[in-house]
Amino acid sequence: MSTPAITMDVRRIGDEVAVVDIKGEVTAACEPVLMSAYEAASDGRTSRLVLNFAGLEYMNSGGIGMLVTCSYGPTRNTSSSPPTG
């Protein structure tokens, strides 16, 4: 299985907004690229994170799941039990 072609570049709009420009294919296999972009965008001053899908060529259910999981950020639940509260 080949690794999907993906780039995720981070740019800023003002002091509090980070934009991740997504180009290529988003699948679960691109998690390292997404996490790297998320870490670069989350520098402590970011209050809003925008995902720009203008360059998106393909996304499967694994990619959607990865984006949802990433949206929880560092507080995401990594246990096998569902989140509560």
Side-chain angles (χ1 to χ4, degrees):
M1 176 180 235
S2 64
T3 303
I6 184 80
T7 61
M8 296 188 188
D9 299 315
V10 178
R11 60 187 166 95
R12 299 203 70 81
I13 299 177
D15 290 333
E16 298 179 351
V17 179
V19 178
V20 179
D21 294 312
I22 300 171
K23 297 176 185 143
E25 301 175 3
V26 177
T27 67
C30 70
E31 182 176 11
V33 178
L34 176 64
M35 293 311 295
S36 176
Y38 179 80
E39 289 171 7
S42 303
D43 61 3
R45 58 189 177 139
T46 302
S47 64
R48 290 182 177 82
L49 179 63
V50 177
L51 300 177
N52 176 10
F53 292 102
L56 182 69
E57 296 174 11
Y58 172 80
M59 183 185 307
N60 65 11
S61 59
I64 294 169
M66 183 190 55
L67 290 174
V68 170
T69 300
C70 183
S71 71
Y72 288 102
T75 61
R76 72 182 182 179
N77 182 355
T78 57
S79 71
S80 59
S81 60
T84 59

